[in-house]
Amino acid sequence: MPIPSLELQIQTLPDNPGVYQYYDKDGKILYVGKAKNLKKRVSSYFNKIHDTRKTNVLVRKIVTIKHIVVPTETDALLLENNLIKSLQPRYNVLLRDDKSYPWICIKKEPFSRIFLTRRMIKDGSEYFGPYTNFKMVYTILDLIKELYPLRTCNYDLSESNINSGKFKVCLEYHIGNCKGPCEGLEPLEEYQRQVNAIREILKGNFKESLKDFKKLMNTYAQNLQFEEAQKIKEKIEILESYQSRSTIINPKITNIDVFSIVSDESAAYVNFLQISHGSIIRSHTLEMKKKLDESDEELLELAIVELRERFQLLSKEIIVPFELDLGENIRVTVPQLGDKKQILDLSIRNAKFYRIEQLKQLQIVDPDRHVNRIMAQMQKDLRLSSEPRHIECFDNSNIQGTNPVAACVVFKDGKPSKKDYRHFNVKTVVGPDDFASMTEIVYRRYKRLLDENEPLPQLIIIDGGKGQLSAALKSIDELGLRGKIAIIGIAKRLEELFYPGDSIPLYLDKKSETLKVIQQLRNEAHRFGITFHRDKRSKAALNSSVESIPGIGEKTMLALIQHFKSVKRLKLATEKEISDVIGVSKAKKIVEFYKTN
């Protein structure tokens, strides 16, 4: 498949946070960067001449742009760090060392220590983070220290060592920062209770601890120690804004491959994330063209075999969205909750974004193919016998039965065909009867098309629920068109689609292209109908107003209606403006009339 032009690649980038990767013509990685908005950031490279020669050389070498979409800007920063260290791009100078972001460790030992570290040791200890903001780490550690007096020494506080009197309390005990577990002055159960509370704080579950924080803040305030109280308040605010969990780096998930699939009528898109030592180190999306009606399970199995071979993946566990049989040597996990589910959701998100970009590129490069794909998708989603190349949508407009009108909008190949739009004045219905109005206009529309041998639509959409649909069906039956034209109703509240003779509505995915086309039709019919209704109402008001002016006849009235459109505009007009339309003497009569009335 040929590589799309850079302009096309940039045009279809998402406006989301993420990490972008630049590759040269040989597929070698040049640069990795992060962005709050991928499209804006990447575009900025190509919109100007840069100050440094190095950046200009980099931009000239770029042939392919890849990206990974992530939930937040912080996640983008962490992912950028991982990828630079694992891929070692030529043009990234910073972050290529072996340093990493800090973690908070709860050490696996009796009377656990809690401290900041950059190194993760697999000894059963718990690690929280990583953190991109050092101020936040120190604030959390200071807050923990103030609330829970824990030890800071490196002693091995085993039961035998404590009982033998091997250790003596230090200065930290005497100044109140430690309760002396080294001499057995604090029981292990009480100490671990505090560690459990700290663990909840680090997970972000600090509702109970907030009570302790506020109590401490109030104590300071009652003792008139307002500066200390303010410090505690600031720490609480920082803690409340802190998020401990990162989808991008998670020490609980290590050496696992994640695969997800998103598909449509013609193709499937399989995203793959490689996780090593708790960090994402690679992302790739594969597009697979469908030859027959292959299932997602069949396609994903093929893709996993292909990608594992291509990238020489040796992991013993993979995460997928549904059960697959990949042999005895690979453990297949289908997560429902927790950290693994989060990482699977991230993979699905990237597959969806990749599909959207490919479709945008297709729409720009080959619009006919794009239309064919949407038509095929609509036929499948709406269970139609043929593609809905010609769709018509009807909507009623009236206010308390006055000036009842209706609108019919026409879409051809999924796009508005405005020359075919039609307005209807409801003629046979008296009062606010939407159902009878719908029966009348549908009958008039298709009676005329039949009489004039004009092509009929493949699909009719009625703006309304079961009642409106039944009213339209009366006319369809009367004209003998039942079975020749598909007809559905759309109810506004829950976007329910009703079919004739079926009491259970159809619900489409809120993000589906089929629903978007139907909503566009419905909104366009509503707009077109309301505009006509307002014009008609304004003319009626102007008619009644102008007719009551002595000496003003029908011709003058029509000229005024055509020019001023509404009574309000006529009343606000100057004598000169009115005389330009109907002459000086009649203008004088109108101005005098509105002055005295």
Side-chain angles (χ1 to χ4, degrees), residues 324-381:
L324 294 174
D325 183 11
L326 296 167
E328 294 177 5
N329 297 328
I330 300 174
R331 182 179 160 203
V332 176
T333 302
V334 183
Q336 303 300 319
L337 295 165
D339 300 317
K340 289 183 177 178
K341 180 68 169 71
Q342 275 193 324
I343 205 77
L344 177 63
D345 289 342
L346 182 68
S347 176
I348 292 169
R349 192 175 184 178
N350 275 279
K352 284 180 178 175
F353 272 108
Y354 185 86
R355 176 178 174 269
I356 290 165
E357 284 146 40
Q358 297 305 109
L359 297 180
K360 279 182 186 172
Q361 289 181 12
L362 178 65
Q363 191 172 358
I364 294 163
V365 174
D366 189 351
D368 288 342
R369 192 174 152 202
H370 172 73
V371 167
N372 293 343
R373 186 188 58 73
I374 287 181
M375 290 296 108
Q377 190 69 43
M378 287 189 77
Q379 183 184 350
K380 182 186 176 187
D381 290 347

Side-chain angles (χ1 to χ4, degrees), residues 309-324:
E309 195 175 306
R310 187 189 301 185
F311 294 108
Q312 298 179 341
L313 307 173
L314 303 171
S315 56
K316 300 291 183 191
E317 182 182 359
I318 67 165
I319 294 173
V320 287
F322 39 72
E323 288 292 346
L324 294 174

Side-chain angles (χ1 to χ4, degrees), residues 171-208:
L171 178 63
E172 290 288 306
Y173 170 77
H174 293 294
I175 62 176
N177 288 343
C178 176
K179 291 185 178 177
C182 56
E183 282 194 29
L185 300 174
E186 182 179 23
L188 180 60
E189 293 78 16
E190 176 60 25
Y191 190 96
Q192 286 306 125
R193 187 188 66 76
Q194 296 182 99
V195 171
N196 291 338
I198 292 164
R199 186 180 287 110
E200 289 305 304
I201 290 172
L202 293 173
K203 285 180 181 176
N205 307 327
F206 40 79
K207 284 184 182 176
E208 290 302 315

